[in-house]
Amino acid sequence: MKEHYYVALDIGSASVKAVVGEKFHDGVNIIGTGQTFTDGISKGKIKDFDLARNAIIDTIKKAKISSGVDIDEVFLKMPITETEFKFSEEELRFGGNSTEINGTHIEDLLETLREREIHRDREVVTVYPIHFKVDDLHEVMDPKEMMATQSLFVRAGIVLANRTLLMNAVKCVEDAGLEVLDVYSDAVNYQHILSESEVELGGVAIDIGADLTQFGYYERGTLRYAGSIPVGGNHITNDLSEAFNTPTEAAEKAKQQYGHAFYDLASEADIIRLPQRDGEPDIEVTPKDLADIIEMRLEEMLMGVFEALQQQKITKVNGGFVVTGGTANLLGVKELMQDLVSEKIRVHVPNQMGARKPEFSSVISTVSSGIMFDELLEYVTIDNYETESEDARHDASEETSGSFFNGLFNKRKEHNTRQLESGETYKYPPGKTSGSAPEEAEYADYAYDETRSDETVTKRSEDTRQGEQKDYRGYMKKFFKNLFE
């Protein structure tokens, strides 16, 4: 990014968010943010192009004002929807010549893996290294400056997303007057909200957004599994609206001010007046009444995550669960999770000044991903690309690979080359890189029942609640507590 700044853009279901950051010691320093609420996106997909584009323009304008940085390039964050994951290997041979490994060699390997994946309806979003081997002797996280005579080997994960979804997202950003430098999937980004020990031992990040709940499982330093279910905080709001016959705006306000995710700890003392949609007099409810609805829906979301993990035979989460996203603002989220599983629970709130909200976790993590890859590649581009016009290079790349995003990544290479030639490269202190991982199998995104997500959760009587607790909840809690031990 210009002047060493990184700008990440998150086109979310409730709002578009942007952060301007820079490398600071071993973390990220956020110097500006922007956020615009919009109805143009739902469940990670653009549903109204004009609304989404205008929200991007407004968000970037706010980020420019707050940071004092002129923004025309961004890293784009993509959700874990319509996503597949693969694991692959590649080797670079040196033929007996002593070679000092640098970022060019690493980038060459990762680009070869990217170009190998040609699909009609899928596009490679991110290729992330799991581990490297130097001369088939040393398994390392970062091989730069090591000497090799025979080969450099990499085992990497490949994130593929729906091509149409990506094309529309990038086009929307470009129509807003911005250049997309790179795209990072939340599947890779979430590792940055976990601590080093959580990533190493086996931790799960759960991001509960407005219309989408996303999650990723990391173990031995790398991504092992990720998925999403099409439910989020808006479904809780809709449930409250239906249960108490109140407008959506009133339900959202009550949720934010008085909502509690754990029924047993919710207050019965406060009185909340809710207007009625049919013109009838206001009704009075308590936070405990709200919690009765909130807990049911949130519990259903979490059960969906647990079931997806169980289907992938992930039954040990020694690093614990980390919950973030806008819905994590609700009181009682941690207590509800602790009531469902035996592992340690942590609610993640970013500690960067100006972005201390859990809904900013993902977009800040995108900045961290940009920094991590730039450090790994040393801002270096592959030198074996012929120098030719941009139009000619774009046409050639489409002919050889059929990949919509080859042009995007070539632009990133050109950007890095310009930085090197102008001497603007910023030398950061060493940062974290991905660790080693066990052998993996291919897997696809978890398929949540779409018809269930829009079913309204209604208020339960105390007798019904007790009966359900004795039956379904009691069984499921016992099942998952035994599962994640």
Side-chain angles (χ1 to χ4, degrees):
M1 299 299 298
K2 289 183 178 180
E3 299 180 11
H4 324 308
Y5 296 122
Y6 290 75
V7 182
L9 184 67
D10 175 4
I11 307 176
S13 295
S15 67
V16 174
K17 294 176 284 291
V19 297
V20 183
E22 59 184 350
K23 178 68 178 178
F24 183 72
H25 298 306
D26 289 330
V28 176
N29 180 38
I30 300 301
I31 63 172
T33 65
Q35 183 176 18
T36 302
F37 291 90
T38 180
D39 295 323
I41 305 103
S42 178
K43 298 176 182 177
K45 304 172 185 177
I46 296 174
K47 66 177 185 179
D48 189 312
F49 200 88
D50 288 338
L51 285 178
R53 179 182 56 209
N54 291 337
I56 293 171
I57 293 172
D58 189 53
T59 298
I60 293 299
K61 181 179 179 181
K62 293 174 181 176
K64 285 181 179 179
I65 293 172
S66 64
S67 66
V69 175
D70 188 22
I71 300 170
D72 53 19
E73 302 166 333
V74 298
F75 291 109
L76 179 61
K77 179 201 85 84
M78 291 299 298
I80 314 171
T81 54
E82 302 288 335
T83 300
E84 292 181 2
F85 303 83
K86 293 185 176 182
F87 298 91
S88 188
E89 299 172 351
E90 183 59 39
E91 191 173 49
L92 185 65
R93 305 294 300 183
F94 298 124
N97 298 318
S98 295
T99 305
E100 180 178 332
I101 298 169
N102 57 36
T104 300
H105 300 118
I106 296 171
E107 189 172 16
D108 198 358
L109 286 173
L110 298 184
E111 284 298 301
T112 300
L113 290 174
R114 181 190 299 280
E115 293 168 0
R116 185 186 299 166
E117 294 295 330
I118 302 176
H119 303 269
R120 285 178 50 190
D121 59 348
R122 297 283 173 182
E123 193 72 42
V124 176
V125 178
T126 306
V127 180
Y128 61 95
I130 295 173
H131 65 254
F132 297 90
K133 284 186 179 179
V134 178
D135 283 352
D136 203 26
L137 296 174
H138 312 288
E139 186 173 301
V140 298
M141 295 181 292
D142 186 347
K144 289 195 302 295
E145 299 184 7
M146 297 184 71
M147 298 299 296
T149 58
Q150 302 302 319
S151 66
L152 174 63
F153 166 92
V154 66
R155 178 166 176 78
I158 302 171
V159 183
L160 301 103
N162 181 279
R163 176 172 290 176
T164 301
L165 190 154
L166 260 68
M167 287 175 62
N168 285 327
V170 171
K171 184 179 187 300
C172 192
V173 175
E174 290 180 342
D175 282 3
L178 301 167
E179 179 182 353
V180 178
L181 285 180
D182 213 337
V183 181
Y184 294 107
S185 169
D186 274 330
V188 175
N189 296 334
Y190 287 147
Q191 65 182 302
H192 301 294
I193 74 172
L194 301 177
S195 67
E196 290 185 8
S197 61
E198 288 166 344
V199 173
E200 186 64 27
L201 293 174
V204 175
I206 304 176
D207 182 358
I208 309 175
D211 287 333
L212 200 64
T213 296
Q214 303 185 123
F215 52 94
Y217 172 66
Y218 306 83
E219 186 182 28
R220 300 183 190 179
T222 192
L223 172 69
R224 293 285 304 279
Y225 172 62
S228 65
I229 55 178
V231 287
N234 286 344
H235 291 82
I236 295 174
T237 301
N238 294 337
D239 291 342
L240 293 172
S241 177
E242 292 297 323
F244 300 110
N245 191 37
T246 192
T248 303
E249 295 78 9
E252 178 67 22
K253 184 177 180 180
K255 181 187 75 173
Q256 292 183 5
Q257 293 184 350
Y258 301 99
H260 205 292
F262 195 50
Y263 180 85
D264 294 346
L265 297 181
S267 170
E268 292 183 279
D270 296 322
I271 300 298
I272 308 159
R273 297 181 64 85
L274 294 177
Q276 298 296 280
R277 289 182 297 191
D278 52 14
E280 292 294 318
D282 294 356
I283 63 170
E284 294 182 347
V285 300
T286 67
K288 205 169 191 71
D289 293 324
L290 300 180
D292 189 28
I293 304 298
I294 295 171
E295 185 189 76
M296 272 196 296
R297 175 62 84 172
L298 189 54
E299 188 176 277
E300 180 192 24
M301 298 180 202
L302 296 172
M303 289 295 184
V305 174
F306 299 155
E307 288 170 8
L309 295 173
Q310 192 272 337
Q311 288 175 11
Q312 297 296 320
K313 296 180 171 53
I314 299 171
T315 58
K316 300 291 183 182
V317 185
N318 296 325
F321 292 86
V322 178
V323 185
T324 195
T327 304
N329 282 309
L330 282 170
L331 296 173
V333 170
K334 181 177 180 179
E335 288 78 8
L336 176 60
M337 282 284 292
Q338 288 176 329
D339 195 47
L340 296 175
V341 296
S342 301
E343 283 74 9
K344 69 174 184 176
I345 308 297
R346 179 170 66 85
V347 175
H348 177 78
V349 179
N351 59 10
Q352 287 87 351
M353 185 70 70
R356 292 175 178 171
K357 301 176 183 178
E359 55 264 41
F360 275 89
S361 295
S362 179
V363 68
I364 292 174
S365 296
T366 306
V367 172
S368 297
S369 290
I371 292 173
M372 180 183 72
F373 277 91
D374 275 350
E375 288 177 337
L376 181 66
L377 303 179
E378 296 182 308
Y379 294 104
V380 183
T381 63
I382 301 174
D383 294 329
N384 59 353
Y385 282 88
E386 294 182 6
T387 303
E388 52 186 326
S389 68
E390 183 175 345
D391 291 339
R393 180 166 49 253
H394 177 71
D395 293 341
S397 65
E398 286 191 343
E399 289 175 3
T400 55
S401 73
S403 172
F404 171 80
F405 280 92
N406 266 11
L408 174 71
F409 297 111
N410 283 335
K411 285 193 292 186
R412 178 81 188 278
K413 298 176 193 300
E414 293 170 3
H415 169 85
N416 291 341
T417 300
R418 289 195 301 269
Q419 282 192 321
L420 284 173
E421 291 175 349
S422 64
E424 292 181 356
T425 305
Y426 186 58
K427 297 299 183 181
Y428 295 124
K432 295 187 297 181
T433 58
S434 299
S436 59
E439 293 298 310
E440 308 286 356
E442 295 183 10
Y443 59 88
D445 194 7
Y446 171 62
Y448 187 83
D449 188 350
E450 291 274 0
T451 60
R452 288 175 54 199
S453 65
D454 292 324
E455 292 178 357
T456 301
V457 176
T458 57
K459 190 175 186 298
R460 298 170 287 185
S461 67
E462 195 62 33
D463 290 341
T464 303
R465 164 177 281 279
Q466 291 174 356
E468 289 179 354
Q469 286 177 329
K470 187 177 296 183
D471 299 328
Y472 173 77
R473 288 191 67 214
Y475 169 78
M476 293 303 290
K477 286 181 181 179
K478 182 178 180 181
F479 175 78
F480 284 115
K481 275 187 176 288
N482 291 335
L483 181 65
F484 296 118
E485 283 186 338

